[in-house]
């Protein structure tokens, strides 16, 4: 694949690092559907486990579990439904382990509709369909919590803050530590004496690499009846004899431990009169890690390469305030900040040689919540702005320019087009190799000159590069209008549909549009938001709409196409325009949407434009148009409100695919675009609709438009690179909360083969409607010209002279299907393309 894969990682959220390797790492999204609010990331054995929030159901919350084995993510686990415990203010997942054939999750939660809490089991080999809770933990006047799990040969060791546990077979006092037998789930005390367990909270339990020594850390003064503070160790075959870890006896409180590479690493408090909690290496001696003034929270320790990584809330030495992030250190190398630009961070671990991170990562283009560190890549960030003061740098008086096309070249064959976002920013990633890159904003009418930037991949450091644009005038105006529909290029008879009219200001100055119009024929039941000023049977008008520079406004319209006016297969046309604005770019001041009337629509549907002709299973695609548009529709026909919808589409991206751009949506969404090493020449596009709250509609009544939504996007194509005979085929997966994903229909578009490929579209010759039934209409410049019609295999069908702006096509005796047309004036041709006959 040519260039788009270089660009895709740059569309992802990418962050800089501190240190000598900073320039060579980015954060790439991972192929996991519900990437929001990651609660837990843990590597256990040969598996990476991720728990993330799914939906808030009022009295309880739903979470999902994903497990990565090798290169494959598994999500075939039931939803995790849990509620707050008495005395709790939040739901926390603290640890996960594999217990025989079972998966065990521990933390601070209560099983929904049950008094059982703190530990959940799922037995996949048994064919279970739900998570199960067997134990009820309690703590007088406090919430009970299980902080740590550790799996030994025959027992699952449990540590936390609890005093009593009721199990299926026995109940009794268990002071903050217990063990569960693998073969029969029997609950056992660590020590069968009057004084057992730990007299205060156990925060962390770890087994050494031999599985023979159990380390127990927390904030206690007695454990198993003996006076041992903070840290104890047991032999697993005789836990009745705890031993104080003499080397670490000065540690008075242990918050987190991890046994790594023959050493025990601990977040611990040594002396309350000094600098507070630090990180200690314990093995033969006690060593406090340098560079850490104080540690407030540690979610995980893990090794990567020669360094140890700490993920949490840390105040490095010499820093005025603590930082939430991921840090690297060793006993020799002082701690250094690695990732610290996150809004929040909820977990990190290493798996199969990669670091995985969960949190809320604010990207240049969108947000995502779970990613993997990718080495040997760097990010380029550009800022496009109108240089109104001529300084060459961005200042307070300048204007950021959204939706500006940017072309990226390299001497390695890269040639792609990006677009600046609402803040005038764009980004892409590149390999840290000595490759020459050129980033160019080309002169486009209103610009007086190009803006460009050269760099080599092995020398550029991450920073924002300014692209100052010089306009012909500092009050340049460019207002655009666009019309989209929830059902794409089809509409249903006698059913209300949702339409979105988008007005955007891509100019330099604020503008008030005196009159915005939507015109149509023979529709009824018009409802709009915001409210319109004038309504009749053929138009809707909004008056005095102020739109600031860089701003975008959407107008929602609900319209019905009645069967009294339209038959199945006919077309309905919508036209938009605005007037009264002194606009420097009038080419985008109007827009039209043509829909084919049908009887009904499936709840999960993928549409493409151009659409297939009647009876065809695929559409003929005009390569000179340089694009193909898709709309994906979804509906909630279930019995419960849908909180989250995720639309996942895998798009083929050979060299001739240049960009992916949204055209409209029914609700607010976030986008992820990324590549997978397991899907050659493809990119994965994920649209996530959080808090969409589609109401239940179990009857499947399509009239309940509030229970439906859509996303529309465009795939850019290079007319010069797309080969004759090429075929674009794909379908989408739709996730409705935790339900099994639904697959849409497959859509196919084909390029005519060489010999019939005579498509040379000219923008000034319009042919409509297309698809057509009986009459073709033309723009005035076509009068006097001759139109020729060909079959897609090149056969000549017929020709006619255009005496007026309309022509009956009955004379050609065309069957339903796709055809080529060519319009010629004497001595020159003025238009050609694909014509679809209904």
């Amino acid at each position: 694949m040519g260039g788009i894969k270089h660009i895709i990682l740059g569309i992802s959220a990418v962050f800089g690092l501190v240190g000598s390797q900073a320039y060579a790492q980015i954060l790439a999204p991972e192929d996991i559907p519900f990437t929001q609010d990651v609660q837990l990331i843990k590597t256990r054995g040969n598996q990476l486990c991720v728990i993330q929030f799914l939906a808030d159901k009022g009295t309880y919350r739903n979470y999902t579990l994903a497990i990565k084995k090798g290169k494959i993510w598994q999500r075939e686990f039931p939803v995790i439904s849990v509620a707050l415990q008495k005395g709790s203010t939040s739901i926390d997942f603290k640890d996960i382990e594999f217990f025989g054939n079972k998966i065990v999750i521990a933390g601070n939660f209560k099983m929904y509709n049950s008094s059982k809490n703190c530990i959940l089991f799922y037995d996949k080999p048994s064919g279970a369909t739900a998570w199960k809770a067997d134990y009820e933990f309690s703590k007088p006047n406090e919430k009970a919590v299980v902080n740590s799990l550790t799996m030994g040969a025959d027992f699952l060791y449990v540590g936390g803050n609890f005093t009593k546990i009721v199990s299926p077979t026995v109940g009794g006092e268990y002071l903050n530590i217990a063990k569960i037998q693998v073969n029969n789930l029997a609950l056992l005390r660590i020590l069968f004496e009057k004084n057992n367990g730990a007299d205060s909270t156990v925060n962390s339990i770890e087994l050494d690499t031999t599985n023979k020594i159990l380390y127990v850390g927390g904030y206690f003064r007695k454990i198993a009846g003996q006076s041992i503070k903070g840290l104890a160790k047991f032999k697993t075959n005789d836990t009745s004899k705890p031993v104080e870890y003499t080397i670490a006896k000065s540690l008075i409180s242990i918050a987190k431990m991890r046994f790594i590479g023959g050493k025990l690493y601990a977040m611990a408090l040594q002396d309350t009169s000094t600098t507070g909690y630090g990180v200690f290496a314990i093995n033969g001696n006690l060593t406090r890690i340098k560079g850490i003034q104080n540690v407030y929270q540690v979610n995980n320790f893990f090794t990567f390469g020669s360094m140890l990584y700490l993920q949490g809330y840390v105040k490095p030495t010499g820093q005025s305030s603590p930082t939430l992030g991921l840090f690297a250190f060793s006993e020799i190398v002082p701690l250094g900040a690695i990732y610290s630009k996150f809004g929040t961070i909820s977990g990190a671990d290493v798996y199969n040689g990669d670091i995985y991170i969960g949190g809320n990562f604010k990207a240049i283009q969108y947000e995502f919540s779970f990613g993997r560190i990718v080495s040997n890549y760097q990010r380029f960030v550009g800022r496009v702005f109108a240089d109104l003061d001529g300084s060459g740098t961005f200042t307070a008086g300048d204007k950021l320019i959204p939706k500006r096309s940017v072309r990226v070249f390299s001497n390695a064959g890269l040639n792609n087009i990006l677009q600046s976002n609402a803040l005038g920013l764009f980004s892409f990633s590149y390999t840290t190799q000595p490759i020459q890159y050129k980033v160019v904003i080309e002169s486009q009418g209103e610009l007086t000159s190009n803006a460009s930037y050269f760099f080599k991949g092995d020398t550029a450091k991450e920073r924002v590069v300014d692209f100052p644009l010089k306009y012909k005038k500092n009050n340049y105006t460019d207002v655009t209008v666009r019309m989209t529909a929830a059902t794409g290029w089809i509409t249903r008879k006698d059913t209300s549909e949702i339409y979105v009219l988008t007005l955007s200001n891509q100019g330099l100055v604020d503008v008030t549009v005196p009159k915005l119009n939507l015109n149509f024929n023979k529709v009824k039941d018009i409802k709009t938001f915001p409210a319109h000023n004038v309504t009749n049977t053929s138009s809707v008008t909004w008056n005095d709409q102020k739109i600031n520079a860089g701003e975008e406004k959407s107008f929602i319209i609900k319209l019905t196409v009645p069967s009294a006016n339209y038959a199945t297969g006919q077309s309905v046309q919508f036209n938009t325009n605005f007037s009264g604005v002194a606009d420097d770019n009038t080419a985008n001041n109007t827009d039209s949407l043509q829909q084919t009337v049908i009887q009904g629509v499936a709840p999960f549907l993928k549409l493409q434009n151009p659409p297939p002709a009647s009876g065809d299973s695929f559409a003929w695609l005009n390569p000179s148009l340089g694009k193909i548009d898709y709309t994906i529709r979804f509906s909630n026909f279930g019995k419960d409100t849908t909180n989250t919808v995720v639309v996942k589409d895998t798009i083929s991206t050979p060299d001739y695919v240049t960009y992916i751009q949204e055209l409209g949506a029914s609700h607010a969404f976030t986008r992820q675009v990324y590549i997978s090493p397991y899907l050659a020449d493809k990119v994965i596009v994920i649209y996530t609709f959080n808090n969409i709250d589609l109401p239940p509609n179990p009857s499947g009544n399509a009239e309940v438009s509030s229970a439906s939504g859509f996303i529309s996007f465009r795939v850019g194509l290079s007319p010069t690179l797309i080969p004759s005979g090429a075929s674009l085929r794909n379908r989408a997966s739709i996730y409705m909360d935790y339900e099994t994903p639904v697959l849409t229909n497959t859509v196919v578009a084909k390029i005519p083969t060489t010999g019939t490929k005579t498509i040379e579209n000219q923008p000034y010759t319009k042919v409509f409607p297309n698809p057509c039934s009986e009459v073709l209409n033309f723009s005035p410049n076509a009068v006097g010209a001759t139109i020729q019609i060909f079959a897609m295999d090149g056969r000549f069908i017929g020709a006619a002279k255009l005496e007026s702006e309309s022509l009956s096509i009955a004379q050609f005796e065309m069957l339903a299907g796709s055809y080529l047309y060519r319009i010629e004036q004497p001595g020159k041709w003025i238009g050609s393309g694909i014509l679809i006959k209904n």
Side-chain angles (χ1 to χ4, degrees):
M1 179 175 156
I4 198 169
K5 284 190 178 179
H6 272 292
I7 300 299
I8 293 306
L9 282 175
I11 295 175
S12 308
V14 185
F15 298 88
L17 306 180
V18 176
S20 61
Q21 298 179 351
Y23 66 90
Q25 294 178 325
I26 64 170
L27 190 61
E30 185 69 4
D31 182 9
I32 181 172
F34 293 100
T35 49
Q36 61 168 321
D37 296 341
V38 174
Q39 302 287 315
L40 181 74
I41 302 175
K42 290 285 185 179
T43 299
R44 288 293 180 257
N46 63 343
Q47 300 169 111
L48 177 67
C49 307
V50 177
I51 296 176
Q52 50 195 148
F53 172 76
L54 185 60
D56 192 334
K57 296 297 185 178
T59 56
Y60 65 98
R61 293 176 186 169
N62 286 336
Y63 297 82
T64 63
L65 170 68
I67 293 180
K68 190 171 190 178
K69 293 184 178 181
K71 297 180 179 180
I72 306 299
W73 280 102
Q74 298 181 358
R75 297 196 62 89
E76 66 277 18
F77 307 103
V79 65
I80 304 168
S81 298
V82 292
L84 294 173
Q85 292 189 85
K86 182 179 180 180
S88 297
T89 58
S90 64
I91 294 171
D92 299 306
F93 294 95
K94 299 286 191 177
D95 212 346
I96 187 168
E97 270 290 355
F98 292 86
F99 178 69
N101 292 325
K102 297 177 176 60
I103 302 171
V104 188
I105 296 174
N108 168 26
F109 50 77
K110 181 176 73 73
M111 189 74 176
Y112 177 58
N113 281 338
S114 170
S115 59
K116 306 297 177 62
N117 61 340
C118 295
I119 287 184
L120 296 174
F121 293 90
Y122 174 65
D123 192 346
K124 181 180 176 182
S126 69
T129 59
W131 290 83
K132 182 181 179 183
D134 285 334
Y135 307 98
E136 182 179 349
F137 293 76
S138 63
K139 179 77 176 176
N141 303 319
E142 296 180 39
K143 66 183 179 185
V145 60
V146 172
N147 290 315
S148 184
L149 300 172
T150 295
M151 187 65 214
D154 301 314
F155 296 97
L156 177 70
Y157 296 92
V158 179
N161 190 345
F162 48 84
T163 56
K164 186 175 182 179
I165 312 174
V166 178
S167 73
T169 57
V170 66
E173 292 187 359
Y174 298 79
L175 295 180
N176 303 312
I177 187 169
K179 59 184 179 181
I180 301 172
Q181 196 161 321
V182 172
N183 58 359
N184 60 7
L185 299 184
L187 182 69
L188 302 173
R189 292 181 176 89
I190 289 295
L191 176 64
F192 291 99
E193 291 180 0
K194 181 179 179 181
N195 297 315
N196 62 84
D199 64 358
S200 193
T201 304
V202 170
N203 290 318
S204 193
I205 303 178
E206 282 288 304
L207 280 166
D208 71 354
T209 54
T210 67
N211 279 341
K212 293 181 179 180
I213 303 296
L214 178 71
Y215 295 87
V216 180
Y219 185 67
F220 48 79
R221 294 298 170 266
K222 288 187 177 182
I223 186 165
Q226 299 190 37
S227 296
I228 299 174
K229 60 178 182 180
L231 179 59
K233 60 180 182 178
F234 296 82
K235 291 182 179 180
T236 53
N237 61 354
D238 187 8
T239 54
S240 64
K241 296 180 180 179
V243 177
E244 186 171 52
Y245 203 173
T246 306
I247 295 168
K249 63 185 301 182
S250 63
L251 302 180
I252 60 178
S253 176
I254 307 292
K256 189 75 175 179
M257 296 188 302
R258 191 77 183 268
F259 201 91
I260 300 174
K263 291 187 178 182
L264 187 66
Y265 290 89
M267 170 189 170
L269 182 66
Q270 188 175 30
D271 184 349
T272 56
S273 65
T274 57
T275 56
Y277 277 87
V279 176
F280 294 84
I282 311 169
N283 183 35
N285 53 42
L286 183 68
T287 303
R288 181 165 182 147
I289 301 300
K290 297 178 181 179
I292 303 175
Q293 182 175 338
N294 205 344
V295 183
Y296 299 89
Q297 175 185 333
V298 170
N299 294 323
N300 204 6
F301 293 117
F302 57 88
T303 56
F304 184 70
S306 61
M307 302 292 284
L308 188 74
Y309 283 69
L310 178 159
Q311 179 260 307
Y313 197 46
V314 177
K315 185 177 182 181
T317 301
Q319 188 168 304
S320 59
S321 59
T323 298
L324 186 65
L326 177 63
F327 305 84
F329 62 89
S330 72
E331 294 179 51
I332 301 173
V333 181
L335 177 140
I338 299 300
Y339 281 94
S340 58
K341 297 182 180 179
F342 303 149
T344 59
I345 182 169
S346 54
D349 213 333
V350 63
Y351 179 71
N352 274 2
D354 290 313
I355 297 176
Y356 291 78
I357 303 178
N360 182 14
F361 313 132
K362 297 187 180 300
I364 295 296
Q365 299 284 354
Y366 61 91
E367 296 181 10
F368 72 100
S369 300
F370 183 65
R372 169 177 51 90
I373 293 178
V374 179
S375 299
N376 300 319
Y377 275 90
Q378 174 62 290
R379 177 187 67 159
F380 182 95
V381 180
R383 176 169 52 194
V384 183
F385 65 95
D387 189 15
L388 301 181
D389 60 6
S391 65
T393 58
F394 181 69
T395 58
D398 296 330
K399 293 280 187 178
L400 294 169
I401 306 299
K403 299 184 179 180
R404 170 60 57 184
S405 293
V406 180
R407 188 174 290 276
V408 182
F409 303 91
S410 80
N411 58 4
L414 180 66
N415 183 358
N416 273 316
I417 297 176
L418 298 177
Q419 194 174 64
S420 60
N421 68 4
L423 298 176
L425 298 171
F426 66 92
S427 81
F428 62 92
S429 67
Y430 55 89
T431 60
T432 53
Q433 298 175 4
I435 296 174
Q436 184 77 39
Y437 292 89
K438 180 181 180 182
V439 186
V440 179
I441 300 175
E442 297 165 343
S443 178
Q444 299 178 18
E446 77 278 15
L447 300 179
T448 58
S449 63
N450 294 349
S452 62
Y453 183 80
F454 292 86
F455 69 96
K456 280 189 176 181
D458 61 346
T459 58
K461 302 297 182 183
E462 180 178 330
R463 62 189 179 91
V464 176
V465 177
D466 282 340
F467 287 80
L469 302 184
K470 288 290 187 180
Y471 282 77
K472 292 179 179 177
K473 57 180 186 176
N474 287 351
N475 60 344
Y476 173 79
T477 58
D478 184 8
V479 185
T480 69
V481 64
R482 186 174 71 245
M483 180 76 171
T484 57
T487 49
W489 302 278
I490 62 173
T491 187
R492 299 166 293 178
K493 292 190 297 183
D494 296 322
T495 302
S496 296
E497 302 289 3
I498 300 297
Y499 296 84
V500 181
L501 192 155
T502 304
L503 189 68
S504 59
N505 184 355
Q506 299 179 35
L508 303 178
V509 295
D510 301 343
V511 171
T512 296
V513 175
K515 192 173 183 180
L516 173 64
N517 304 299
L518 170 62
N519 303 303
F520 41 80
N521 292 318
K522 299 180 290 187
V523 301
K524 65 176 184 179
D525 296 340
I526 303 167
K527 298 177 182 178
T528 69
F529 179 83
H532 55 276
N533 301 100
V534 180
T535 300
N536 55 45
T537 58
S538 61
S539 68
V540 178
T541 302
W542 295 263
N543 291 335
D544 299 325
Q545 295 297 319
K546 184 177 180 181
I547 178 166
N548 297 325
E551 187 183 7
E552 187 172 89
K553 284 187 176 181
S554 293
F555 301 82
I556 312 300
I557 310 103
K558 183 178 181 181
L559 301 171
T560 304
V561 175
S563 56
N565 296 329
Y566 289 93
T568 300
Q570 289 186 320
S571 297
V572 58
Q573 186 90 12
F574 299 91
N575 296 288
T576 63
N577 66 82
F578 56 87
S579 59
V581 178
D583 199 27
D584 293 298
N585 181 12
T586 58
N588 52 26
N589 291 8
T590 62
D591 192 32
S592 62
L593 173 69
Q594 181 176 285
Q595 293 181 298
T596 301
V597 180
I598 62 172
Q599 189 66 45
V601 64
F604 300 98
L605 186 67
K606 181 165 187 177
L607 303 159
Q608 67 180 6
N609 189 30
S614 177
D616 287 351
S617 60
F618 62 90
W620 288 107
L621 183 61
N622 181 346
S624 65
L625 294 178
K627 64 183 180 181
I628 184 169
D629 295 346
Y630 296 106
T631 291
I632 300 169
R633 179 181 170 84
F634 49 84
S635 298
N636 179 18
F637 284 0
K639 299 179 180 179
D640 198 0
T641 297
T642 296
N643 298 100
T644 302
V645 174
V646 177
V647 177
K648 182 177 180 180
D649 208 348
T650 302
I651 306 295
S652 297
T653 56
D655 290 344
Y656 53 80
V657 173
T658 57
Y659 66 88
I660 298 174
Q661 175 186 349
E662 286 69 43
L663 301 177
S666 57
H667 300 76
F669 64 91
T670 58
R671 182 185 81 158
Q672 303 169 39
V673 184
Y674 59 97
I675 61 173
S676 171
Y678 322 113
L679 296 173
D681 289 334
K682 295 182 186 295
V683 294
I684 300 162
V685 187
I686 293 181
Y687 296 101
T688 301
F689 296 84
N690 289 316
N691 303 316
I692 192 170
D693 292 336
L694 298 181
N697 185 21
S699 66
N701 180 8
E703 178 66 20
V704 184
S705 57
S706 61
S708 300
F710 78 98
I711 179 71
S712 294
F713 61 94
R714 173 170 295 166
V715 176
L717 306 171
S718 171
T720 59
L721 295 178
I722 190 167
S724 66
S727 177
L728 285 79
R729 173 191 298 268
N730 57 78
R731 64 178 177 178
S733 300
I734 301 173
Y735 299 77
M736 310 285 285
D737 278 347
Y738 55 86
E739 301 295 334
T740 302
V742 178
L743 296 176
T744 67
N745 55 298
T746 300
V747 293
V748 183
K750 295 183 179 181
I751 303 298
T753 56
T754 304
T756 64
K757 186 179 174 184
T758 59
I759 301 166
E760 306 151 333
N761 243 10
Q762 289 294 308
Y764 51 80
T765 302
K766 294 185 178 179
V767 178
F768 60 96
N770 190 6
C772 65
S773 298
E774 300 173 355
V775 176
L776 274 180
N777 298 312
F778 304 88
S779 53
N781 69 312
V783 176
T786 298
I787 184 170
Q788 297 174 318
I789 306 293
F790 300 86
M792 295 304 292
D793 59 6
R795 289 181 295 109
F796 178 71
I797 301 298
K801 187 173 183 180
L802 303 179
E803 303 291 352
S804 68
E805 295 178 28
S806 297
L807 175 71
S808 171
I809 62 174
Q811 58 184 298
F812 299 122
E813 297 182 351
M814 300 159 61
L815 299 175
S818 300
Y819 298 85
L820 294 168
Y821 71 86
R822 181 181 176 92
I823 304 174
E824 291 184 341
Q825 292 277 21
K828 66 176 181 178
W829 65 272
I830 59 172
S832 59
I834 295 175
L835 177 67
I836 299 173
K837 169 67 166 61
N838 285 330

